[in-house]
Amino acid sequence: MNKIKILHMYADMLDLYGDSGNMEIIAYRCKMRGIECEIDKYSIDSEQPDFSSYDLIYIGGGADLEQQHISEDLVKCRNGIEAAYKNGTFLFLICGGYQLMGKHYRDADGVDIPGLGLFDYYTIAEPNRKKRCIGNVVIRTEFTGKTVDIVGFENHGGQTNGVKTPLGEVLYGHGNCTKSSHEGYFEKNVIATYMHGPCLSKNPEVSDYIIGYCLNRKIDTAIELTPLDDKLENDCRQVMIERLLKK
Ligand code: GLN
């Protein structure tokens, strides 16, 4: 039987706007296709797992304080996460989790929270707390040659700079910085985004990109995912796209 192994990190601390729902969605879409999905949790002081044994590592978002709380522990996981990423494990990172895989995050109080430095970008929070990037977002991206519009909700003070390969072009909302043209970070085995929602609820193509990658990364002949009935998800997304872009 096909199987995907997931490590969900700091679910008890980084779960803003129901970010954990993303893992419920991945598990549901696997179940509908007869793909086994095992989700392990890791949090502060858990025993260090073998990060490279996972197909997917997932980290959600959180407030500056929660990012400070997990920071010391996350740094201890650096070598394991880096080795897994280099070995082809998929990293799916939301907002606070996205920021902490870069060089560093300087929060709204000016506190420098070290990142793991896996990627070249860095994030500095807007010191004026009234100037946060808050609201709905629509971005346009491409998955394996197909153009896809993704919708979500952002709420961040952090301004992320130095992103060489963004996830998408901003059609509505802010993105990586205030009034930015681009949002998120993308590599074959990395999706990092400011989009909560949870992100996957209205964006089945993102879920299936991740599931497809995880399933196929260890085999030579790619398995096509069985299509699911995504009418509800697509209708929900369309309502938002029309509300935001077609005024
Ligand atoms: N605390 C970070 C910021 O304000 C991340 C917020 C989040 O995860 N939504 O930028």
Side-chain angles (χ1 to χ4, degrees):
M1 190 195 203
N2 294 316
K3 181 174 174 178
I4 290 180
K5 253 188 98 183
I6 300 174
L7 183 66
H8 185 176
M9 297 185 72
Y10 309 113
D12 52 343
M13 308 284 280
L14 299 179
D15 184 24
L16 209 57
Y17 302 114
D19 284 339
S20 291
N22 285 327
M23 291 305 100
E24 289 178 35
I25 291 161
I26 293 272
Y28 172 78
R29 295 182 75 81
C30 283
K31 188 173 163 208
M32 296 300 284
R33 294 166 163 136
I35 301 166
E36 196 186 328
C37 181
E38 180 187 317
I39 304 182
D40 293 341
K41 297 254 170 92
Y42 172 90
S43 198
I44 296 177
D45 292 336
S46 297
E47 199 179 311
Q48 286 249 341
D50 174 6
F51 291 95
S52 294
S53 70
Y54 290 94
D55 299 304
L56 168 63
I57 295 177
Y58 174 64
I59 310 181
D64 288 2
L65 190 64
E66 284 143 0
Q67 288 173 279
Q68 282 177 25
H69 283 326
I70 61 119
S71 161
E72 196 184 326
D73 188 89
L74 180 64
V75 168
K76 288 186 205 151
C77 301
R78 186 187 185 287
N79 292 346
I81 295 176
E82 183 179 45
Y85 155 66
K86 289 193 169 153
N87 189 43
T89 294
F90 197 96
L91 304 184
F92 183 35
L93 313 162
I94 307 294
C95 201
Y98 167 26
Q99 295 170 344
L100 295 180
M101 291 297 131
K103 287 183 177 162
H104 62 88
Y105 171 47
R106 181 169 303 157
D107 75 13
D109 295 323
V111 175
D112 265 321
I113 305 177
L116 298 197
L118 260 51
F119 312 116
D120 279 344
Y121 58 76
Y122 60 94
T123 306
I124 298 183
E126 164 61 61
N128 182 345
R129 289 172 198 275
K130 290 189 179 146
K131 287 192 180 163
R132 295 178 66 81
C133 300
I134 304 177
N136 294 304
V137 203
V138 185
I139 69 166
R140 179 159 293 167
T141 190
E142 222 180 73
F143 289 125
T144 49
K146 192 181 161 220
T147 301
V148 180
D149 290 345
I150 309 175
V151 303
F153 177 82
E154 63 184 333
N155 182 357
H156 54 106
Q159 309 286 299
T160 300
N161 290 284
V163 173
K164 291 195 186 101
T165 52
L167 176 61
E169 174 201 350
V170 176
L171 304 184
Y172 188 94
H174 291 284
N176 284 333
C177 300
T178 304
K179 299 267 174 247
S180 176
S181 55
H182 290 91
E183 202 281 330
Y185 180 82
F186 189 33
E187 278 183 32
K188 191 170 78 148
N189 62 325
V190 183
I191 289 181
T193 178
Y194 273 113
M195 287 197 259
H196 300 280
C199 170
L200 300 185
S201 58
K202 299 189 192 77
N203 304 295
E205 295 89 347
V206 184
S207 308
D208 286 357
Y209 176 80
I210 296 170
I211 294 170
Y213 172 90
C214 291
L215 260 191
N216 287 319
R217 75 188 189 101
K218 291 179 202 143
I219 53 176
D220 294 333
T221 316
I223 298 171
E224 286 283 324
L225 294 182
T226 315
L228 299 179
D229 178 5
D230 292 327
K231 185 176 180 328
L232 197 57
E233 291 83 346
N234 287 328
D235 284 353
C236 290
R237 170 169 48 190
Q238 202 49 35
V239 166
M240 291 310 293
I241 288 177
E242 277 171 27
R243 189 184 295 169
L244 301 170
L245 300 182
K246 297 183 182 161
K247 277 182 196 159

